[in-house]
Amino acid sequence: MDYQNLLVEQKDTVVEVTLNRPEKYNALTHQVAQEMIDLCSRAAADPSMRCVLLTGAGKGFCAGQDLTEVRDQAESFSLRNHLNSGYNPMVSALRRLEKPVVVAINGACAGAGLGLALGGDIRYASDKAVFLTAFIGIGLVPDSGVSYWLPRLVGPARAAEMLFTNERVSAARAAEIGLINRVVSNAELMAEARALARQLAEGPTLGIGLTKRALNHSLGITLDEQLEFEAQLQDIAGHTQDYREGVSAFREKRQPGFKGK
Ligand code: LHQ
């Protein structure tokens, strides 16, 4: 597959993947998800790829769903299908990849972009990064695994706070509450993340892969079950007036007027 939205560069045994839609803060589309899925299957099959390092081009890491793509969707458009054919298999593929995935969060990380980051194994973030769930800002529910990871990483109360209020969480706070592993100065982010990726790529790859399998197994209800549950709920939220209003308000750069319908 030719990648239109990813820059992929292999440096020794580390494959560096950069989401490359900087003018939209690397917002996600169905095509981006297909490219990520393809990349994960390549990485799984290729023994010369022993660690994936994921980052974003430009100022943002990933702003979640590309909201300029959803505006003209017909009423019959199923968000459940959209998730099940794109973001869910993407998050699943990243998680099932039995090789370490380091995420270098260079800037804003929101919505399904947060789900993507949380699907990786170890997260370093720039001191300029900001984390927000974003879903409720447009009247939607968490998807792409966000409702799976958040309570596990930060606890249910902080998860509820982030999801209900859409607060912007700084990188320092994100490290404090366990959302990320480490905050690094913006200038040092890639050097630090590359050093970690190199170290992991030089490790016992099969052992790390099996360790990842053990960690995934320990989490109780499976991510795939929660992904499907989220997709069903998103289908309901995606047909509300508040969702339409949320997207329109974002595009028109104004505050949304939600009506509770
Ligand atoms: C964007 C976006 C964006 C396009 C910034 N799209 N362009 C799944 C299934 C189906 C439907 C819906 O949703 C989902 C799951 C989801 O992911 S829902 C959540 C969707 N994401 C959001 O609601 C986040 C929207 N963005 C923001 O809140 C802000 O842009 C953040 C906090 C990410 C960044 O804020 P700032 O640093 O102040 O930057 P900015 O707002 O000025 O954005 C920079 C540019 O990126 C700007 O373009 P422009 O041409 O005006 O400079 C934005 O329009 C563009 N951009 N997010 N999601």
Side-chain angles (χ1 to χ4, degrees):
M1 179 186 254
D2 282 337
Y3 299 137
Q4 291 153 26
N5 302 284
L6 304 180
L7 298 174
V8 178
E9 193 182 351
Q10 190 165 348
K11 295 178 177 166
D12 298 321
T13 50
V14 174
V15 57
E16 207 167 295
V17 182
T18 307
L19 301 166
N20 191 31
R21 309 181 77 224
E23 68 293 345
K24 293 191 175 182
Y25 274 25
N26 305 311
L28 294 171
T29 62
H30 184 75
Q31 178 61 25
V32 176
Q34 301 316 308
E35 294 180 16
M36 281 297 300
I37 293 165
D38 185 80
L39 185 277
C40 287
S41 59
R42 271 178 55 197
D46 186 342
S48 81
M49 296 182 178
R50 295 172 61 192
C51 180
V52 172
L53 171 55
L54 176 65
T55 191
K59 286 209 289 191
F61 169 71
C62 179
Q65 168 68 40
D66 184 337
L67 295 178
T68 62
E69 263 215 344
V70 293
R71 71 181 189 275
D72 297 326
Q73 278 165 7
E75 188 61 22
S76 60
F77 181 80
S78 164
L79 270 71
R80 182 179 177 186
N81 289 344
H82 179 65
L83 291 167
N84 280 336
S85 63
Y87 304 162
N88 286 354
M90 169 181 74
V91 170
S92 238
L94 202 59
R95 199 65 206 169
R96 279 166 204 241
L97 176 62
E98 292 191 343
K99 294 184 179 176
V101 177
V102 175
V103 189
I105 301 159
N106 52 300
C109 181
L114 179 61
L116 179 60
L118 299 183
D121 298 307
I122 300 181
R123 284 168 287 285
Y124 284 5
S126 149
D127 53 5
K128 295 208 178 337
V130 61
F131 297 82
L132 59 158
T133 56
F135 304 99
I136 213 70
I138 55 168
L140 286 184
V141 300
D143 64 28
S144 306
V146 170
S147 72
Y148 181 86
W149 293 117
L150 269 190
R152 287 167 169 79
L153 290 167
V154 306
R158 287 194 192 101
E161 193 174 22
M162 284 186 71
L163 288 165
F164 295 174
T165 70
N166 196 19
E167 66 174 310
R168 288 181 182 226
V169 174
S170 68
R173 179 73 181 145
E176 211 172 87
I177 64 179
L179 198 58
I180 60 170
N181 295 72
R182 194 177 290 192
V183 191
V184 182
S185 78
N186 195 46
E188 296 295 317
L189 176 67
M190 289 316 293
E192 295 258 345
R194 283 178 182 132
L196 173 66
R198 218 168 22 249
Q199 178 196 331
L200 295 174
E202 285 166 6
T205 304
L206 293 179
I208 292 176
L210 292 172
T211 303
K212 187 163 170 175
R213 198 187 299 180
L215 289 176
N216 286 342
H217 190 72
S218 77
L219 292 166
I221 180 178
T222 68
L223 172 61
D224 286 344
E225 285 166 326
Q226 187 72 358
L227 285 169
E228 169 55 22
F229 193 60
E230 288 177 342
Q232 289 179 25
L233 298 179
Q234 200 67 292
D235 234 4
I236 301 171
H239 286 95
T240 60
Q241 288 176 24
D242 282 346
Y243 168 53
R244 287 183 167 275
E245 166 62 9
V247 173
S248 302
F250 175 78
R251 292 180 43 76
E252 292 158 18
K253 299 187 187 289
R254 60 172 173 79
Q255 288 300 311
F258 291 132
K259 297 278 189 291
K261 295 185 209 165

